Amino acid sequence: MPICLSPNGKTEYAGSAPPDELIVGTLRGIHFFERTGGTWECRRTALDHLHISALLHEPESGKLFAGCHGYGEAGGLFVSDDGGAHWDKCVEGLVHEHIYTIAAQKRPDGIVLYAGTEPPGLFRSVDLGASWEELPGILKVPGTDKWTFPPPPHIAHVKQVAFHPNHPDTVYVLIEQGAVLKSEDRGESWRELDSYASDADSFYRDVHRLAFAQNDPARLHLATGDGLYRSEDAGETWEHLQGRTDRVGYPDALFVDPDDDDIVYLGGAGDAPETWRTEGGAFAGFIVSVDAGDSWQERMAGLPDPIEGNVEAMAMFHWPGGAAFFAGTAVGDVFISEDRGAHWALLTGGLPPISKARHYRHFLSADEKARIEGEARSEAGNAA
């Protein structure tokens, strides 16, 4: 079974044995890797002209979905029925085509897909992406006028869609920057869970990732631009566990071990993107807690010190008795750990940046930045 690695796509996969297929979303399309013996090799690429924001492999149907950063011809949601050899655009009903995240939920009546967009929009498909319907309720909560995002044009987006493991009608949506939203009626109506937020925060409700404890789903962890929070009551109240001055002060990747609710994995930058140039890097890290987030240890063995660029995407593959992590960076490196992060190795380097939106630009030389900006202007002119 393949595992997908992308900034905002599905992050957790499971199978019966360690993975031997990896699909990576980059600034220039999708790269397909296979492992033979101990060697990973790139077998092919697809959608090379598109910046991939989110990948999802849906095992029931075998379909592969790819969402793209961008508008017009640069954006959209694509589906493949043959493992990525051929692709069709599937945007019927999608009012916005800048896709930030894709999620799938297995329900008794079939697979339901969700797509989150920029500007903030939530869309649902019950026919595996052939058509989409908007769920406008997320825009009816108070405070949407405050939703924003720091880089111009300052437009927020749906960062994550998460599902309660035991109550399929309960859905959480994270708006970056803006809100943690909860629905208990399958996305028809929503309310904000905001007790984590403080006027002392560095950013306005800068929420990145939500993770459930499998055996106690009332316990949630929330990764934000101001560190990590934990809730023991399904998000009604929160405890601040990690802040901006801690080892991973700007976390994005967040996992709870499938075999032990007390083991939590956290990955991301040492500080916010605005510091990456002034401080000489993102100083990304990977840390683990064995007590539900009360204390932490680094797990960096085998990783560069410091990691070049930032870790922009992480995925976990779980099988009986084991778990592997994959980490992709804004300079095109992919690292692998097959012992729950205790030891890491370089799987491949030299790929196009693996990057949420424009994060990769923080790590370009002046010449590279000018070249890419020139290409973007040319592409925009051709599209017009």
Side-chain angles (χ1 to χ4, degrees):
M1 176 180 174
I3 181 171
C4 296
L5 180 65
S6 62
N8 296 302
K10 182 176 172 64
T11 60
E12 297 187 35
Y13 292 83
S16 59
D20 55 14
E21 296 180 69
L22 176 67
I23 305 173
V24 184
T26 78
L27 180 69
R28 297 295 182 191
I30 306 171
H31 297 248
F32 296 80
F33 287 84
E34 293 181 7
R35 175 162 56 178
T36 303
T39 302
W40 291 85
E41 295 185 3
C42 185
R43 299 299 189 186
R44 65 184 188 280
T45 63
L47 303 181
D48 295 355
H49 61 297
L50 297 174
H51 182 176
I52 306 301
S53 60
L55 291 172
L56 166 69
H57 177 260
E58 198 294 293
E60 295 288 318
S61 63
K63 292 179 182 289
L64 181 61
F65 295 89
C68 303
H69 278 312
Y71 299 91
E73 292 299 317
L77 183 61
F78 294 79
V79 60
S80 174
D81 293 312
D82 56 8
H86 302 89
W87 294 84
D88 294 308
K89 202 168 186 178
C90 52
V91 294
E92 181 182 334
L94 283 175
V95 177
H96 311 302
E97 293 190 22
H98 185 161
I99 308 299
Y100 245 88
T101 190
I102 316 168
Q105 183 186 40
K106 184 178 179 180
R107 297 179 58 90
D109 54 348
I111 301 298
V112 179
L113 301 178
Y114 289 81
T117 66
E118 176 187 299
L122 182 65
F123 299 84
R124 181 172 62 197
S125 174
V126 296
D127 53 13
L128 292 172
S131 63
W132 298 84
E133 62 171 334
E134 187 171 9
L135 299 174
I138 66 165
L139 302 178
K140 296 178 181 178
V141 298
T144 57
D145 58 310
K146 297 179 181 179
W147 294 0
T148 186
F149 195 59
H154 308 294
I155 299 174
H157 50 259
V158 173
K159 169 71 171 171
Q160 186 194 13
V161 181
F163 310 106
H164 192 289
N166 297 337
H167 301 294
D169 288 348
T170 299
V171 184
Y172 292 78
V173 162
L174 272 57
I175 306 295
E176 186 183 31
Q177 299 173 346
V180 176
L181 302 178
K182 180 179 181 180
S183 172
E184 296 178 283
D185 56 9
R186 239 187 130 188
E188 298 303 322
S189 62
W190 300 82
R191 64 186 179 93
E192 184 177 359
L193 306 175
D194 61 1
S195 65
Y196 67 93
S198 165
D199 291 339
D201 291 342
S202 304
F203 305 104
Y204 180 77
R205 302 184 186 185
D206 184 17
V207 290
H208 296 165
R209 197 80 60 177
L210 185 74
F212 293 90
Q214 292 299 309
N215 296 313
D216 181 13
R219 179 191 290 174
L220 306 177
H221 286 85
L222 177 68
T224 80
D226 280 279
L228 183 71
Y229 297 78
R230 181 180 64 209
S231 173
E232 301 286 356
D233 54 12
E236 300 300 328
T237 61
W238 299 87
E239 180 182 0
H240 200 178
L241 303 176
Q242 290 270 305
R244 289 279 300 278
T245 59
D246 289 306
R247 175 61 183 89
V248 180
Y250 193 81
D252 190 281
L254 172 63
F255 304 90
V256 177
D257 194 288
D259 296 325
D260 189 336
D261 284 352
D262 287 337
I263 300 178
V264 182
Y265 306 93
L266 194 65
D271 208 338
E274 63 195 31
T275 71
W276 295 351
R277 281 192 177 275
T278 59
E279 298 298 322
F283 300 101
F286 184 71
I287 58 178
V288 63
S289 172
V290 297
D291 52 17
D294 290 329
S295 63
W296 296 85
Q297 297 178 343
E298 276 194 331
R299 287 201 174 173
M300 300 284 289
L303 290 170
D305 184 18
I307 296 172
E308 187 179 359
N310 182 47
V311 173
E312 291 282 298
M314 286 195 72
M316 178 175 68
F317 189 97
H318 177 251
W319 66 94
F325 286 99
F326 297 82
T329 75
V331 298
D333 292 331
V334 177
F335 298 93
I336 181 174
S337 169
E338 295 189 88
D339 55 8
R340 287 179 158 85
H343 303 88
W344 293 85
L346 180 68
L347 186 150
T348 190
L351 295 181
I354 301 159
S355 175
K356 169 193 167 185
R358 297 186 175 189
H359 277 185
Y360 69 95
R361 295 179 182 233
H362 291 279
F363 310 105
L364 298 176
S365 68
D367 289 344
E368 290 173 325
K369 189 173 182 180
R371 176 180 59 79
I372 287 178
E373 289 176 347
E375 290 174 356
R377 287 193 296 269
S378 176
E379 290 172 359
N382 291 337

